[in-house]
Amino acid sequence: MNDLKRQPQRPSWREYQRGLKRPVKRAPRRRLVLALAALSVVLLCVYMGWPATGATNVAPTTAIIERPSDATPSIGKKDVQLLLSRVTPNDLLAEQVELPFREQRFTVETSLDETLQERLIQALDRKNSRYIGVVVMEPDSGRILAMAGFDKADPQANPCLRSTFPAASLFKIVTAAAAVDQCGYSSNTTVRFNGYKHTLYKSQLKETRNRYTHAVSFGASFAESINPVFGKLGQLHLGKRALEEYALGFGFNQDLDFELPVPPSHLAVRDTPYHWAEIASGFNNETTISPIHGAVMTACILNEGRMVSPIFVERIMDPEGREIYAAHASWEQRAMTTRASTVLKAMMEKTVQSGTAQKTFRGSQRDPILSRLRMGGKTGSISNRAHDQRFDWFVGFAQDKNGPGKLVVASLVAHEAYIGVRAGTYARMAFSHYFKGHWAQQNDATARSKANG
């Protein structure tokens, strides 16, 4: 397919959602949501001895409500959110945390890999950065292995959980998925543009063909982050409805199903065609996202288009040593078709091999760790309105060429006067550290098995 023409016979996003074998979760009615939330709060108050009436002069309890010895108490994710809201996220950044409450101590076991977390914390460029957020996640399970953050103005804050950072060209992932599903694009589809790659003038959004017109593949336009190509997609072929629907499928304007509070990533599409071009190409400051959401979006590409809920708390033990909460993988809505995820994965690999992330991963074919991985990514960069911060994004994945190991990373750096350590560099560190340890564990397990056999 060599022309930028929308195929009218393609199903809409809602239509192919209804055709899935596994139905998409539907939001319950508002009254039911409020009732369940209220019930959850009351049960947690009763279980942990909180004053359910809100009185401030109630004597603190010293034991959990008495139960029969054979009873197994349990709490839900909403209860965990309430429990963890009493501490800052940075107080939980360890594999096991003792959480005091009313003269009792609950044990919180997290999914963090402490050695990986410490490696990234030590590498953070605090001198040249205003914000840094690096999230490392297992895509299959949603387990968060690292959540390294730095906020120069607030040492207690963790930018990994902030949703106020401009998404920039990360939103091209959403646009590309819509182009594949709605317009029949593939990585080899020929697209055309005039002018510079990283500008977005209104004159670049016309279907002009002259001797100055560049013809490239859709995969190359993604890898090189060519704004006019994605701007024309948004303005001429997708429009407001498709952009909003695919953004919703990828989790924008929705709460993440997560144990720690993360405000929703934000998207608002106005009724002006040029704004559709700005949204589709990421050429704006209004579309915002958090690093944790960036990791979830990237995992979706490896999960054949299905979103997975992130997991930070593995389990919680009460003072008597009873398990009162245990995490499990939770699959959410489908963001795109399996075909779209396959195309996106290939284009992200092209980004690392010959696109905007090529410099960051230069020499990886000679690296003893990275040479054994399939890697892909998407970069993004944009300045704030005051032009005193330059937001630098990298989201990407690494996959063992000869085994089941997979990893996704989302990193954000807000550079100040000077460009320090780039976002992609943190991702490269995470890939190297994780797979070096992963393969060492596999070798140890194989050696023990042979010894025992």
Side-chain angles (χ1 to χ4, degrees):
M1 174 173 176
N2 295 327
D3 294 315
L4 298 174
K5 294 183 179 179
R6 178 170 177 170
Q7 298 180 2
Q9 301 301 319
R10 290 273 168 184
S12 70
W13 184 84
R14 292 295 183 194
E15 288 171 338
Y16 83 71
Q17 283 277 33
R18 288 195 291 270
L20 296 174
K21 293 181 179 180
R22 188 181 300 180
V24 179
K25 292 183 179 179
R26 298 297 180 188
R29 295 181 179 179
R30 182 178 179 83
R31 291 183 180 178
L32 180 59
V33 173
L34 294 175
L36 290 175
L39 179 60
S40 176
V41 173
V42 171
L43 290 175
L44 185 61
C45 290
V46 172
Y47 179 75
M48 294 188 168
W50 285 343
T53 62
T56 57
N57 58 350
V58 178
T61 57
T62 56
I64 295 177
I65 186 170
E66 293 185 3
R67 298 171 180 267
S69 59
D70 59 346
T72 303
S74 64
I75 60 176
K77 188 170 287 187
K78 294 294 184 183
D79 305 320
V80 175
Q81 292 172 352
L82 286 172
L83 182 62
L84 299 187
S85 66
R86 301 174 57 84
V87 296
T88 63
N90 289 342
D91 292 331
L92 299 168
L93 297 181
E95 290 182 7
Q96 189 173 97
V97 180
E98 295 295 323
L99 188 64
F101 177 75
R102 295 291 180 88
E103 301 181 6
Q104 303 176 83
R105 286 189 175 273
F106 293 84
T107 302
V108 179
E109 294 184 4
T110 73
S111 58
L112 291 181
D113 179 334
E114 281 194 337
T115 60
L116 176 59
Q117 174 77 14
E118 184 62 24
R119 171 72 179 92
L120 292 172
I121 288 290
Q122 294 298 322
L124 297 182
D125 179 11
R126 294 170 171 82
K127 179 180 179 181
N128 298 302
S129 309
R130 175 64 177 81
Y131 302 108
I132 307 173
V134 185
V135 175
V136 185
M137 188 173 84
E138 291 180 346
D140 295 336
S141 65
R143 295 174 66 248
I144 302 295
L145 302 182
M147 201 166 61
F150 168 70
D151 183 333
K152 184 172 286 188
D154 184 1
Q156 293 301 314
N158 192 323
C160 295
L161 306 174
R162 284 190 55 179
S163 299
T164 58
F165 303 113
S169 288
L170 296 196
F171 198 83
K172 286 186 174 78
I173 293 173
V174 179
T175 306
V180 173
D181 286 337
Q182 296 296 297
C183 304
Y185 278 32
S186 72
S187 180
N188 296 322
T189 299
T190 299
V191 292
R192 296 175 173 83
F193 70 98
N194 285 60
Y196 295 107
K197 296 178 180 180
H198 301 135
T199 56
L200 192 69
Y201 298 111
K202 291 183 179 180
S203 60
Q204 293 179 284
L205 302 177
K206 300 176 182 179
E207 291 287 22
T208 302
R209 293 196 188 185
N210 53 40
R211 61 176 180 168
Y212 303 109
T213 300
H214 308 281
V216 297
S217 69
F218 185 50
S221 72
F222 182 92
E224 298 173 32
S225 206
I226 300 177
N227 284 335
V229 169
F230 285 84
K232 287 202 291 185
L233 268 172
Q235 177 170 313
L236 304 178
H237 303 284
L238 295 175
K240 179 179 179 180
R241 179 183 174 186
L243 291 172
E244 288 179 333
E245 288 185 341
Y246 272 80
L248 186 67
F250 274 97
F252 282 83
N253 297 334
Q254 300 178 73
D255 290 322
L256 286 177
D257 184 23
F258 192 42
E259 297 95 352
L260 298 176
V262 184
S265 297
H266 175 72
L267 173 82
V269 187
R270 298 193 293 272
D271 291 325
T272 49
Y274 180 68
H275 191 243
W276 306 342
E278 291 179 310
I279 293 292
S281 62
F283 199 75
N284 69 95
N285 288 89
E286 290 78 27
T287 304
T288 61
I289 193 173
S290 63
I292 190 78
H293 188 192
V296 172
M297 283 180 56
T298 309
C300 175
I301 295 167
L302 296 187
N303 292 330
E304 299 184 342
R306 300 262 326 177
M307 299 285 279
V308 64
S309 295
I311 292 174
F312 179 75
V313 176
E314 293 275 17
R315 64 175 186 159
I316 299 178
M317 310 293 287
D318 71 8
E320 283 74 38
R322 298 175 296 185
E323 183 181 273
I324 62 174
Y325 174 81
H328 61 277
S330 175
W331 295 94
E332 300 298 322
Q333 74 265 15
R334 178 176 287 278
M336 56 185 159
T337 62
T338 301
R339 176 177 177 270
S341 67
T342 302
V343 172
L344 271 167
K345 184 177 179 182
M347 294 195 300
M348 291 179 78
E349 289 183 29
K350 192 176 185 70
T351 302
V352 168
Q353 295 165 0
S354 59
T356 54
Q358 180 184 18
K359 184 176 180 180
T360 299
F361 289 89
R362 182 177 295 164
S364 59
Q365 294 304 314
R366 299 184 299 275
D367 186 275
I369 303 297
L370 299 181
S371 61
R372 298 168 62 182
L373 302 174
R374 292 182 61 186
M375 296 180 292
K378 183 71 192 80
T379 63
S381 61
I382 195 168
S383 297
N384 65 349
R385 289 188 176 88
H387 292 280
D388 59 357
Q389 295 175 40
R390 182 70 177 176
F391 296 105
D392 171 25
W393 279 102
F394 178 88
V395 298
F397 64 85
Q399 186 173 5
D400 189 344
K401 291 179 180 178
N402 302 307
K406 299 178 185 178
L407 199 68
V408 297
V409 175
S411 58
L412 173 280
V413 181
H415 303 283
E416 293 187 311
Y418 299 97
I419 301 297
V421 178
R422 302 297 297 264
T425 302
Y426 294 117
R428 179 169 178 154
M429 289 180 193
F431 293 156
S432 295
H433 183 96
Y434 172 82
F435 280 98
K436 182 178 180 180
H438 176 72
W439 291 325
Q441 290 178 355
Q442 285 185 333
N443 293 336
D444 290 344
T446 301
R448 287 195 299 268
S449 177
K450 290 181 178 180
N452 295 332

